Amino acid sequence: MPRSGGFNTLDIGQMYPSSWLVTDVLMFIGGGSAGTAGGVKVTTFGFLLFIIWSEMRGEHQVNIGHRRLPSATQRQALSIGLLGVILVTISTWLLLIITPHSLDQVLFEVISAFATNGLSTGITAHTSLAGHVLLSVLMFIGRIGPLTLGSALALKQRTRRYELPEEKVIIG
């Protein structure tokens, strides 16, 4: 149950690393936007896929069904997704430095903490105090972070009284 509850009937520590990777992806995506599950949320992930699809097709607007996705919502989805990736990456790097465990185990623990779902490969008990603190901070950020960030981004809109000149930058 990689979305929220942390219930498992299988020993996660005995799973193959390829199974951990699939579970990592499901945990990072998380549950629905109105639910209590962690992660970046299914809606955010879906919006990111639609943004990529529109960009690949060369469309200027992101359309879902018969509706247009506002640019503010696109920026919110990109911000939440990218900040989640950055947080997981930095936390994984820090935990790799302070623990002797492998990358796949550490990544699983970090994403599980960020997604607040309670799954573990069994290495949490064998980490140092600094590792426990890092995972606890991740759980706290994962619990309030995406919701608070999404609300803050939705409420904060500033009107600029002037326009800067446009710059063409080579991407990719």
Side-chain angles (χ1 to χ4, degrees):
M1 188 154 155
R3 296 298 174 107
S4 63
F7 303 119
N8 57 331
T9 56
L10 303 172
D11 184 8
I12 301 292
Q14 297 299 315
M15 292 171 72
Y16 290 111
S18 57
S19 299
W20 286 341
L21 182 61
V22 171
T23 307
D24 286 343
V25 171
L26 292 174
M27 287 189 300
F28 185 78
I29 294 171
S33 295
T36 58
V40 295
K41 306 296 186 191
V42 173
T43 323
T44 304
F45 184 73
F47 283 170
L48 291 174
L49 292 178
F50 276 109
I51 291 168
I52 292 169
W53 179 250
S54 295
E55 189 64 33
M56 287 175 30
R57 294 177 63 181
E59 297 176 351
H60 295 288
Q61 299 291 331
V62 177
N63 299 316
I64 301 173
H66 297 287
R67 302 280 188 224
R68 180 177 44 88
L69 187 64
S71 61
T73 306
Q74 294 175 43
R75 287 193 310 272
Q76 285 176 335
L78 288 167
S79 297
I80 289 172
L82 189 57
L83 286 173
V85 168
I86 290 169
L87 181 66
V88 165
T89 303
I90 290 172
S91 300
T92 301
W93 175 70
L94 288 173
L95 202 57
L96 278 171
I97 290 173
I98 59 178
T99 63
H101 305 294
S102 65
L103 173 63
D104 48 0
Q105 289 176 314
V106 169
L107 182 64
F108 190 95
E109 296 296 321
V110 166
I111 294 176
S112 177
F114 172 72
T116 64
N117 69 356
L119 297 178
S120 177
T121 60
I123 66 167
T124 305
H126 305 293
T127 60
S128 63
L129 178 62
H132 287 159
V133 169
L134 177 63
L135 291 173
S136 297
V137 168
L138 268 174
M139 287 179 211
F140 183 73
I141 291 172
R143 181 68 262 145
I144 64 166
L147 178 66
T148 305
L149 180 64
S151 299
L153 290 173
L155 295 175
K156 182 180 180 179
Q157 291 190 4
R158 194 173 88 190
T159 305
R160 189 173 282 206
R161 299 178 198 265
Y162 59 90
E163 287 265 342
L164 295 173
E166 190 175 279
E167 181 66 33
K168 300 255 184 202
V169 178
I170 299 172
I171 303 291

